[in-house]
Amino acid sequence: MQQKKEQRGQIMGTLFTMLLFLVFVMCALFTVLAGGKVYENIGRRMADNYTGSVALQYIANKVRQGDEAGMVRVMDVEGTSVLELSQDFDGERYISWIYYYDGSIRELFTHKDSGLGLPDGIGILECEGLSFEQDGRLLTIETAGNGGGRLLLSLRSTGGTE
């Protein structure tokens, strides 16, 4: 009788140990799954923030570089909002267009009378949309989509268009 009690105690101890190990494995599995989901969410948010903030900062730096009287303007080309930055080199006028076309922000640097258009620009960054508005010296840049944002720039130059 004593032997049966000892055998039963050993079986219960082994069963309890296996059950405890199973609970530990399940907790570890759920922790890994939850951590993977958190990592995925963080990665998605970082990608969204990257797209929005990098696009806005890129454009802001371009505007700051070319901020001269009458050299920064917003215009409409074929129904697309375009930021035009003009520069003079050796008495010749060159323009940079920054705009949204075919799923990405593009930039086109060319001679003013080259005849190049929106499809000729170089893709800078993929995004879901970009728009510009200018009210005097106030320039509004807005990106669309999950990581979208808005940036207001006050042009230091006297504004005015040629």
Side-chain angles (χ1 to χ4, degrees), residues 129-154:
L130 175 68
S131 64
F132 302 100
E133 288 180 31
Q134 186 174 7
D135 184 16
R137 290 178 48 189
L138 185 64
L139 178 65
T140 304
I141 307 163
E142 193 165 354
T143 56
N146 288 337
R150 185 176 188 198
L151 181 65
L152 299 171
L153 290 175
S154 177

Side-chain angles (χ1 to χ4, degrees), residues 5 15 33 44 66 70 73 92 103 109-110 120 146 155-156:
K5 281 187 182 183
L15 207 58
L33 290 174
R44 187 171 12 95
R73 71 179 180 143
E92 298 283 327
F109 178 77
T110 184
D120 300 312
N146 288 337
L155 300 176
R156 292 177 293 173

Side-chain angles (χ1 to χ4, degrees), residues 25 42 115:
V25 168
I42 289 171

